[in-house]
Amino acid sequence: MYNTSFTKISTSQIVNDLKDKGYFVFEQALNKSYVEEMLQEVDFNQILVNTNDVGVVTAQSYKFLTHCLANSKKAYEIITSQKILDICKNYFTDNYKLTNHRIFQVSRNSHMPWHTDNNLQIGNQLSDKHDMPGLLFLFYLSDVTKNAFQYVKNSHKWSQKYNGEIYLSDSFIEKNYQQEILAFPMQKGTIIICDIHGVHRAEPFQDKNYTRTSLLFQVDQVGSQYIGHGEKNIVNTEYLDNLSPEVMDYLGFGFKRNYPAFPNSSVSTMPPKDILSLQQNLFMQTIKALNKSMVKSILPAEAVINAKRLLWYLKSKYSKITN
């Protein structure tokens, strides 16, 4: 999973950087082969439409696998890895929870505003800022030459002055903190950890041929006054080979969650070209569905059942002959 050079970095050094500078960065912390195996678990071309499963949804130029704990063993292994748990255990002074997670892919263009992630929600709407300690973990799953993570140096120490703002404008940051902006264009496998109170964004870009893929998750020190803070964690029980009281508490077993999954997606959040592609696929599916419906309306239900029994019998007999 992790490159040896990253595992040798002491937890205390990482935590000291986070508390002092507000961020920690290590290029190629993940093995490239591990990243490739994780990407094979995610099909960004298969968008969920009336599919009884977890999978990818679209929101403008982004594609999200929000419930990656249920659909990617590799993502689960990273999010619950001992290295991550040790960082959290040494950084926080009280109980901490995984409050959101996602694998996402952005393509063509993006203009993310400057923001902090110490957000409280009511439904899908941001309602306020909180003062809980928290960490944002970001792994590059592709080489990042554009749309790189940007962080305003030392902003975790002063951002609370602007808790009344949902975002900080580009012009404000450029006027007051231009020299403090740090950017991290780096290779796949890179880990970036930052204080959620730090002001950050992904650098805007426009390039129809460029795509960036990342794993992102957030861990907050959830106090008793914030019961319900966070999105629900849907976990595939097949992955729980490292289950322990520490992991159960971290994942929030038995902990109330009030926030809906991000993003709030529907057909209306899909770009026009994806809607057209969806319509083409739906047309063929509609023809098949109409044919099935017509057959069922003409034939008695018992005849349909007997036909299925006959097909099963013939298939079973053919399988025995060929084997």
Side-chain angles (χ1 to χ4, degrees), residues 175-187:
K175 178 181 178 180
N176 295 281
Y177 299 101
Q178 179 66 47
Q179 301 305 314
E180 307 301 316
I181 297 175
L182 305 172
F184 302 98
M186 292 182 172
Q187 298 180 65

PDB file of all heavy atoms in Angstrom, residues 175-187:
ATOM      1  N   LYS A 175      -5.576  39.670  -3.293  1.00  0.00           N
ATOM      2  CA  LYS A 175      -5.186  40.992  -2.790  1.00  0.00           C
ATOM      3  C   LYS A 175      -4.434  40.901  -1.467  1.00  0.00           C
ATOM      4  O   LYS A 175      -3.447  41.609  -1.253  1.00  0.00           O
ATOM      5  CB  LYS A 175      -6.436  41.860  -2.626  1.00  0.00           C
ATOM      6  CG  LYS A 175      -6.128  43.248  -2.052  1.00  0.00           C
ATOM      7  CD  LYS A 175      -7.408  44.057  -1.877  1.00  0.00           C
ATOM      8  CE  LYS A 175      -7.101  45.414  -1.252  1.00  0.00           C
ATOM      9  NZ  LYS A 175      -8.338  46.226  -1.058  1.00  0.00           N
ATOM     10  N   ASN A 176      -4.882  40.006  -0.586  1.00  0.00           N
ATOM     11  CA  ASN A 176      -4.345  39.989   0.770  1.00  0.00           C
ATOM     12  C   ASN A 176      -3.351  38.859   1.060  1.00  0.00           C
ATOM     13  O   ASN A 176      -2.547  38.981   1.988  1.00  0.00           O
ATOM     14  CB  ASN A 176      -5.503  39.875   1.767  1.00  0.00           C
ATOM     15  CG  ASN A 176      -6.418  41.079   1.745  1.00  0.00           C
ATOM     16  OD1 ASN A 176      -6.110  42.111   2.322  1.00  0.00           O
ATOM     17  ND2 ASN A 176      -7.551  40.951   1.067  1.00  0.00           N
ATOM     18  N   TYR A 177      -3.412  37.763   0.260  1.00  0.00           N
ATOM     19  CA  TYR A 177      -2.597  36.595   0.603  1.00  0.00           C
ATOM     20  C   TYR A 177      -1.914  35.970  -0.611  1.00  0.00           C
ATOM     21  O   TYR A 177      -1.562  34.800  -0.584  1.00  0.00           O
ATOM     22  CB  TYR A 177      -3.466  35.541   1.307  1.00  0.00           C
ATOM     23  CG  TYR A 177      -4.082  36.030   2.590  1.00  0.00           C
ATOM     24  CD1 TYR A 177      -5.410  36.442   2.631  1.00  0.00           C
ATOM     25  CD2 TYR A 177      -3.332  36.105   3.761  1.00  0.00           C
ATOM     26  CE1 TYR A 177      -5.983  36.908   3.800  1.00  0.00           C
ATOM     27  CE2 TYR A 177      -3.888  36.570   4.950  1.00  0.00           C
ATOM     28  CZ  TYR A 177      -5.214  36.976   4.963  1.00  0.00           C
ATOM     29  OH  TYR A 177      -5.775  37.437   6.122  1.00  0.00           O
ATOM     30  N   GLN A 178      -1.726  36.746  -1.653  1.00  0.00           N
ATOM     31  CA  GLN A 178      -1.147  36.212  -2.880  1.00  0.00           C
ATOM     32  C   GLN A 178       0.182  35.502  -2.633  1.00  0.00           C
ATOM     33  O   GLN A 178       0.443  34.417  -3.181  1.00  0.00           O
ATOM     34  CB  GLN A 178      -0.936  37.343  -3.894  1.00  0.00           C
ATOM     35  CG  GLN A 178      -0.300  36.908  -5.212  1.00  0.00           C
ATOM     36  CD  GLN A 178      -1.190  35.981  -6.004  1.00  0.00           C
ATOM     37  OE1 GLN A 178      -2.367  36.242  -6.164  1.00  0.00           O
ATOM     38  NE2 GLN A 178      -0.641  34.891  -6.505  1.00  0.00           N
ATOM     39  N   GLN A 179       1.025  36.070  -1.796  1.00  0.00           N
ATOM     40  CA  GLN A 179       2.350  35.500  -1.541  1.00  0.00           C
ATOM     41  C   GLN A 179       2.298  34.280  -0.622  1.00  0.00           C
ATOM     42  O   GLN A 179       3.302  33.577  -0.464  1.00  0.00           O
ATOM     43  CB  GLN A 179       3.259  36.568  -0.916  1.00  0.00           C
ATOM     44  CG  GLN A 179       3.446  37.813  -1.779  1.00  0.00           C
ATOM     45  CD  GLN A 179       3.952  37.481  -3.166  1.00  0.00           C
ATOM     46  OE1 GLN A 179       4.897  36.693  -3.324  1.00  0.00           O
ATOM     47  NE2 GLN A 179       3.345  38.068  -4.194  1.00  0.00           N
ATOM     48  N   GLU A 180       1.145  34.023  -0.028  1.00  0.00           N
ATOM     49  CA  GLU A 180       1.013  32.903   0.910  1.00  0.00           C
ATOM     50  C   GLU A 180       0.380  31.665   0.272  1.00  0.00           C
ATOM     51  O   GLU A 180       0.228  30.635   0.938  1.00  0.00           O
ATOM     52  CB  GLU A 180       0.151  33.327   2.110  1.00  0.00           C
ATOM     53  CG  GLU A 180       0.615  34.602   2.800  1.00  0.00           C
ATOM     54  CD  GLU A 180       2.040  34.495   3.317  1.00  0.00           C
ATOM     55  OE1 GLU A 180       2.356  33.450   3.900  1.00  0.00           O
ATOM     56  OE2 GLU A 180       2.820  35.448   3.124  1.00  0.00           O
ATOM     57  N   ILE A 181       0.025  31.751  -1.003  1.00  0.00           N
ATOM     58  CA  ILE A 181      -0.639  30.624  -1.660  1.00  0.00           C
ATOM     59  C   ILE A 181       0.391  29.552  -2.011  1.00  0.00           C
ATOM     60  O   ILE A 181       1.374  29.812  -2.707  1.00  0.00           O
ATOM     61  CB  ILE A 181      -1.377  31.081  -2.938  1.00  0.00           C
ATOM     62  CG1 ILE A 181      -2.488  32.070  -2.582  1.00  0.00           C
ATOM     63  CG2 ILE A 181      -1.962  29.872  -3.673  1.00  0.00           C
ATOM     64  CD1 ILE A 181      -3.192  32.656  -3.789  1.00  0.00           C
ATOM     65  N   LEU A 182       0.155  28.340  -1.533  1.00  0.00           N
ATOM     66  CA  LEU A 182       1.001  27.189  -1.842  1.00  0.00           C
ATOM     67  C   LEU A 182       0.239  26.269  -2.789  1.00  0.00           C
ATOM     68  O   LEU A 182      -0.954  26.029  -2.603  1.00  0.00           O
ATOM     69  CB  LEU A 182       1.353  26.430  -0.562  1.00  0.00           C
ATOM     70  CG  LEU A 182       2.005  27.239   0.564  1.00  0.00           C
ATOM     71  CD1 LEU A 182       2.105  26.396   1.834  1.00  0.00           C
ATOM     72  CD2 LEU A 182       3.374  27.740   0.151  1.00  0.00           C
ATOM     73  N   ALA A 183       0.917  25.763  -3.799  1.00  0.00           N
ATOM     74  CA  ALA A 183       0.289  24.843  -4.752  1.00  0.00           C
ATOM     75  C   ALA A 183       1.083  23.545  -4.785  1.00  0.00           C
ATOM     76  O   ALA A 183       2.318  23.554  -4.644  1.00  0.00           O
ATOM     77  CB  ALA A 183       0.225  25.474  -6.142  1.00  0.00           C
ATOM     78  N   PHE A 184       0.381  22.411  -5.014  1.00  0.00           N
ATOM     79  CA  PHE A 184       1.023  21.108  -4.937  1.00  0.00           C
ATOM     80  C   PHE A 184       0.724  20.249  -6.168  1.00  0.00           C
ATOM     81  O   PHE A 184       0.003  19.241  -6.083  1.00  0.00           O
ATOM     82  CB  PHE A 184       0.561  20.383  -3.669  1.00  0.00           C
ATOM     83  CG  PHE A 184       0.850  21.138  -2.406  1.00  0.00           C
ATOM     84  CD1 PHE A 184      -0.138  21.906  -1.804  1.00  0.00           C
ATOM     85  CD2 PHE A 184       2.114  21.107  -1.838  1.00  0.00           C
ATOM     86  CE1 PHE A 184       0.126  22.613  -0.651  1.00  0.00           C
ATOM     87  CE2 PHE A 184       2.390  21.817  -0.681  1.00  0.00           C
ATOM     88  CZ  PHE A 184       1.392  22.575  -0.080  1.00  0.00           C
ATOM     89  N   PRO A 185       1.284  20.625  -7.338  1.00  0.00           N
ATOM     90  CA  PRO A 185       1.206  19.721  -8.494  1.00  0.00           C
ATOM     91  C   PRO A 185       2.197  18.580  -8.297  1.00  0.00           C
ATOM     92  O   PRO A 185       3.412  18.810  -8.206  1.00  0.00           O
ATOM     93  CB  PRO A 185       1.609  20.629  -9.669  1.00  0.00           C
ATOM     94  CG  PRO A 185       2.468  21.686  -9.056  1.00  0.00           C
ATOM     95  CD  PRO A 185       1.981  21.879  -7.652  1.00  0.00           C
ATOM     96  N   MET A 186       1.709  17.357  -8.195  1.00  0.00           N
ATOM     97  CA  MET A 186       2.567  16.226  -7.848  1.00  0.00           C
ATOM     98  C   MET A 186       2.075  14.955  -8.518  1.00  0.00           C
ATOM     99  O   MET A 186       1.018  14.928  -9.140  1.00  0.00           O
ATOM    100  CB  MET A 186       2.611  16.041  -6.327  1.00  0.00           C
ATOM    101  CG  MET A 186       3.324  17.161  -5.597  1.00  0.00           C
ATOM    102  SD  MET A 186       3.414  16.871  -3.796  1.00  0.00           S
ATOM    103  CE  MET A 186       4.496  18.218  -3.309  1.00  0.00           C
ATOM    104  N   GLN A 187       2.848  13.879  -8.364  1.00  0.00           N
ATOM    105  CA  GLN A 187       2.548  12.616  -9.014  1.00  0.00           C
ATOM    106  C   GLN A 187       1.479  11.825  -8.270  1.00  0.00           C
ATOM    107  O   GLN A 187       1.188  12.081  -7.096  1.00  0.00           O
ATOM    108  CB  GLN A 187       3.821  11.780  -9.109  1.00  0.00           C
ATOM    109  CG  GLN A 187       4.925  12.411  -9.953  1.00  0.00           C
ATOM    110  CD  GLN A 187       6.166  11.543 -10.014  1.00  0.00           C
ATOM    111  OE1 GLN A 187       6.149  10.435 -10.555  1.00  0.00           O
ATOM    112  NE2 GLN A 187       7.253  12.032  -9.452  1.00  0.00           N
TER     113      GLN A 187
END
